[in-house]
Amino acid sequence: MTPTIPTKQQPEPARRILCVGAAVLDTLFRVDFIPAGQGKVLPTDMLQIAEGMASSAAYAVARLGGSASIWGAVGDDETGERIIGDLAASGIDTAGMRCVAGARSAVSTILIDDAGERLIIPFYDPRLHHGVQPVTAEDIAAFDAVLVDVRWPELALKTLLAARQAGIPAILDGDVAPEGVIEMLGPAASHIIFSQPAAERLTGASDPVSIVRQLKETFSHAFVSVTFGERGSYWFDDDDALIRHLEAPRIRAVDTLAAGDIFHGTFALMLCEDMAMEDVMRSSSMAAAIKCQTFGGRIGAPDRAELDEALTSWPARAVDVTRPAGQAV
């Protein structure tokens, strides 16, 4: 009898994530403290790097083995060329980037202190985002998910709507934005991950459970989560109608810049890999924590092996923190 030769399994193709929004040339200064008034502060380290919410999220996807694309805008200047070149060299598909004649590319100066906290001074030329091309389901048919930030709301909305039409996850990075932007984008999203400051502004609450409950009532159609930095993340479990909390990994933060973006990029990729939601949140939380231990914004994002190893030694699991509606906080 002739033995059966096992068929070699082909590796699954990398999930393709489209990130839409900010592309900025950041100048990072590491300082002992962030000044409260006039004076001169001498940095101990300095780095220039192309990032921004969508760009850093795309980098996280690429680092973890996914296929990342970025749609955004730069000016027709040397800074724009540098931003696109830097992102492309980091493994991100920049073919969808728009170069706007007469506009200045986005830049920011960022101070990062010894506790890992930061002061950000950004500049965005409003001409970068004048005019938005149509976005159809066919335009994004090759992607497994889209992730948008709040920096280019018109393009973000068109992309979210196209993703919903195409039947793929339409993920919104719900960060602090001008009045009305979250309210415009939220109804088009299938998943919304809020930052703590944005969530508190939208709800007027400070207690995480109350915040998540109010946000879920407002965006009942979507998966809703809020990240609270060192206090971990909270989300509404749609399967059991419960609010769950996952503590944050215990680390010594060196640089929290781009931590939320790394969380979002990891979330988008793991969601497309059909993980259970708790595992998606654990992976995203750990990826953000690993990033915080390296100075340099997005460059601290882990690769897949580093993330998997860290997760095996982290025992934290999500717990139910739901309180009955109307119970006092």
Side-chain angles (χ1 to χ4, degrees):
M1 182 176 179
T2 304
T4 301
I5 300 175
T7 302
K8 184 178 180 180
Q9 289 188 338
Q10 295 294 323
E12 291 192 12
R15 300 298 196 273
R16 298 193 63 192
I17 311 298
L18 171 62
C19 300
V20 178
V24 187
L25 182 63
D26 284 347
T27 301
L28 315 181
F29 292 104
R30 188 169 184 179
V31 297
D32 295 332
F33 62 93
I34 295 175
Q38 297 184 25
K40 180 182 291 185
V41 178
L42 299 179
T44 59
D45 203 350
M46 177 267 191
L47 174 70
Q48 285 191 311
I49 185 171
E51 44 189 7
M53 290 185 287
S55 299
S56 297
Y59 181 67
V61 171
R63 285 281 289 165
L64 292 170
S67 175
S69 298
I70 178 76
W71 287 1
V74 297
D76 58 344
D77 50 23
E78 291 184 4
T79 300
E81 292 179 5
R82 179 168 180 179
I83 290 171
I84 293 176
D86 194 352
L87 295 177
S90 298
I92 301 168
D93 175 15
T94 60
M97 289 293 292
R98 174 185 177 192
C99 184
V100 182
R104 289 180 288 177
S105 297
V107 296
S108 68
T109 297
I110 303 170
L111 304 184
I112 301 168
D113 69 14
D114 284 344
E117 297 303 325
R118 72 270 191 194
L119 173 66
I120 304 175
I121 307 172
F123 171 76
Y124 290 90
D125 187 336
R127 292 173 294 181
L128 285 174
H129 299 153
H130 281 175
V132 182
Q133 70 273 22
V135 180
T136 67
E138 290 73 24
D139 294 327
I140 60 171
F143 298 104
D144 296 295
V146 302
L147 167 64
V148 308
D149 68 30
V150 296
R151 287 293 174 258
W152 195 348
E154 293 77 16
L155 180 59
L157 179 59
K158 290 179 181 293
T159 305
L160 291 173
L161 292 172
R164 297 298 295 273
Q165 185 180 355
I168 63 174
I171 307 163
L172 170 61
D173 174 354
D175 203 357
V176 175
E179 186 175 353
V181 169
I182 296 292
E183 292 84 349
M184 177 181 74
L185 298 178
S190 61
H191 298 73
I192 312 175
I193 305 171
F194 293 92
S195 68
Q196 177 182 350
E200 290 177 345
R201 283 180 55 176
L202 284 168
T203 63
S206 58
D207 170 66
V209 174
S210 298
I211 288 173
V212 172
R213 178 177 288 114
Q214 289 187 49
L215 291 172
K216 184 61 181 179
E217 290 173 354
T218 302
F219 304 103
S220 58
H221 65 287
F223 169 83
V224 169
S225 173
V226 184
T227 58
F228 284 85
E230 63 184 14
R231 289 197 288 166
S233 55
Y234 293 74
W235 70 93
F236 190 91
D237 185 330
D238 291 295
D239 291 334
D240 299 321
L242 300 173
I243 297 173
R244 300 198 183 277
H245 171 235
L246 178 68
E247 67 180 39
R250 296 181 180 179
I251 61 165
R252 180 185 178 278
V254 173
D255 173 10
T256 60
L257 181 68
D261 311 326
I262 302 306
F263 186 108
H264 299 139
T266 305
F267 179 95
L269 182 61
M270 301 307 174
L271 184 68
C272 291
E273 293 184 358
D274 298 324
M275 285 188 177
M277 185 53 71
E278 180 176 352
D279 292 326
V280 172
M281 297 298 287
R282 289 185 80 249
S283 296
S284 304
S285 298
M286 181 56 73
I290 292 171
K291 184 255 96 52
C292 288
Q293 297 173 74
T294 299
F295 171 75
R298 66 173 170 89
I299 65 172
D303 62 21
R304 194 58 171 260
E306 185 180 4
L307 176 59
D308 288 345
E309 182 180 359
L311 286 169
T312 61
S313 58
W314 186 39
R317 306 302 300 188
V319 297
D320 170 21
V321 291
T322 310
R323 279 193 293 269
Q327 180 175 319
V329 176

